[in-house]
């Protein structure tokens, strides 16, 4: 009887740990890709700003 309940508990813990690992992996992936997208937008804004400032300098001359 004790072995059955221990086996059931171990199965429950194993399923719980696997579920938490999957959730953590999904959340980390979302965080990583959001950071990558934010980095792309930041670089794009820097390039746009640099182009604008070059154009303004060209018009001032």
């Amino acid at each position: 009887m004790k072995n059955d309940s221990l086996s059931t508990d171990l199965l429950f813990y194993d399923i719980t740990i696997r579920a938490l690992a999957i959730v953590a992996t999904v959340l980390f992936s979302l965080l990583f890709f959001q950071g990558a997208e934010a980095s792309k937008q930041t670089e794009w804004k820097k390039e746009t700003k640099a182009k604008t400032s070059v154009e303004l300098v060209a018009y001032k001359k």
Side-chain angles (χ1 to χ4, degrees):
M1 190 74 175
K2 281 188 176 181
N3 289 338
D4 291 338
S5 64
L6 180 62
S7 178
T8 304
D9 288 345
L10 290 177
L11 178 65
F12 175 71
Y13 293 141
D14 184 49
I15 291 171
T16 303
I17 289 171
R18 288 175 190 262
L20 289 174
I22 291 169
V23 169
T25 303
V26 168
L27 290 177
F28 180 77
S29 298
L30 289 173
L31 179 67
F32 177 77
F33 288 116
Q34 288 291 328
E37 287 296 320
S39 176
K40 283 183 196 176
Q41 290 178 359
T42 303
E43 290 296 321
W44 177 76
K45 287 179 183 177
K46 284 181 184 177
E47 289 174 5
T48 305
K49 192 174 185 180
K51 287 179 184 176
T52 305
S53 63
V54 170
E55 288 177 9
L56 289 175
V57 171
Y59 288 126
K60 285 183 181 178
K61 290 184 178 178

